[in-house]
Amino acid sequence: MSTTASPLPPIQPPPQGLPPAPPQEPQQDSPQEPPESPEQIAATLAAQGWCVTDAFVPPLLVGQLRHEARERWNAGAFRRAGVGRGADRELRPEVRTDRILWLEPAALSGAQQGFWERLEAVRLAVNRQMFLGLQELEAHFAVYPAGAYYRKHLDQFHGMGRRQLSCVLYLGEDWQPADGGALRMYVDTTDAFVAADVLPLGGRLVTFLSARFLHEVLPARRERLSITGWFRSR
């Protein structure tokens, strides 16, 4: 399957007057060797609450998912992402400027099903080790055109504790540090300026406890593609 597509159209640059980046120089990527199995992912999550896993899916599957995202983008299927849920949802361009397309669990493509099955193995391993009671997965494609961002936030909605585990699979191609677009994880809940920057390398999976870690998506110099999802409890 071809993975060639036209570049995504640019959006307006970030507005002026946004909060500055933390003064402390962040770490680069995870300080540990990336685990390779669902059991190792679960063990790392139990120990530190977040985990970076390289080559979580093979390059062929990454390319198929990237191709699907671009096809749907070119078909106009993506919508501006909002903040909040239900009646409280609103568009806040000063907070986030990405575009999203929700995946339908009952109508997954073959490539999406392959991703879903790999995350299901993670869900089972995490439940065995951490007893989180993770149930269904909700997920969407996310496109960050050049300059797009998502400011510092938590993934768990205020007053709603169902989202337990956040999962982000990156679909980038030949991503370089100069391309920007890192996920900045505020990994020390006692110090707001301690952060780790994780580059969106294709096939890389980031998992973390949704209610514990503030994080943000830094602007990139070119299109940034991912699948972002959350395991929820009942």
Side-chain angles (χ1 to χ4, degrees):
M1 182 179 291
S2 172
T3 59
T4 302
S6 301
L8 298 173
I11 63 170
Q12 294 299 315
Q16 299 299 313
L18 292 168
Q24 177 169 322
E25 184 68 20
Q27 304 170 35
Q28 289 295 321
D29 296 331
S30 171
Q32 298 184 353
E33 290 295 319
E36 298 177 352
S37 71
E39 289 73 20
Q40 289 173 307
I41 293 173
T44 303
L45 287 169
Q48 66 180 23
W50 68 291
C51 180
V52 177
T53 309
D54 285 337
F56 179 73
V57 300
L60 177 60
L61 182 53
V62 173
Q64 291 171 337
L65 292 167
R66 181 169 59 240
H67 179 73
E68 289 183 5
R70 284 174 167 162
E71 274 196 328
R72 299 303 301 278
W73 173 273
N74 291 333
F78 281 73
R79 297 292 181 265
R80 292 176 60 189
V83 176
R85 195 177 183 92
D88 295 327
R89 182 184 179 275
E90 57 182 336
L91 297 178
R92 297 278 304 278
E94 76 277 12
V95 175
R96 64 185 302 189
T97 55
D98 56 317
R99 309 293 195 268
I100 64 172
L101 174 64
W102 287 98
L103 304 183
E104 297 294 337
L108 297 173
S109 69
Q112 293 167 17
Q113 185 66 41
F115 167 67
W116 225 259
E117 290 172 356
R118 284 167 171 79
L119 277 189
E120 174 64 9
V122 173
R123 182 187 74 86
L124 294 174
V126 171
N127 278 346
R128 283 194 295 269
Q129 293 199 40
M130 301 180 67
F131 307 103
L132 292 182
L134 303 181
Q135 297 293 330
E136 67 270 17
L137 173 68
E138 58 179 4
H140 59 62
F141 281 122
V143 174
Y144 287 77
Y149 53 83
Y150 194 164
R151 299 303 181 199
K152 195 172 181 180
H153 65 284
L154 278 177
D155 278 353
Q156 201 171 88
F157 294 116
H158 180 69
M160 300 177 64
R162 292 193 64 195
R163 283 183 176 178
Q164 298 293 318
L165 184 66
S166 299
C167 310
V168 187
L169 176 71
Y170 296 113
L171 307 177
E173 189 173 18
D174 299 323
W175 202 271
Q176 301 298 319
D179 295 326
L183 172 69
R184 177 163 289 173
M185 295 281 301
Y186 293 88
V187 295
D188 187 341
T189 56
T190 66
D191 188 335
F193 294 135
V194 175
D197 283 357
V198 183
L199 287 178
L201 305 182
R204 171 174 281 179
L205 180 77
V206 180
T207 49
F208 57 92
L209 299 178
S210 303
R212 184 183 298 183
F213 297 104
L214 289 162
H215 56 285
E216 61 181 312
V217 176
L218 304 181
R221 294 178 176 84
R222 63 185 180 96
E223 67 195 46
R224 180 187 188 276
L225 308 177
S226 64
I227 298 179
T228 300
W230 303 268
F231 279 114
R232 301 189 298 176
S233 60
R234 291 179 180 171

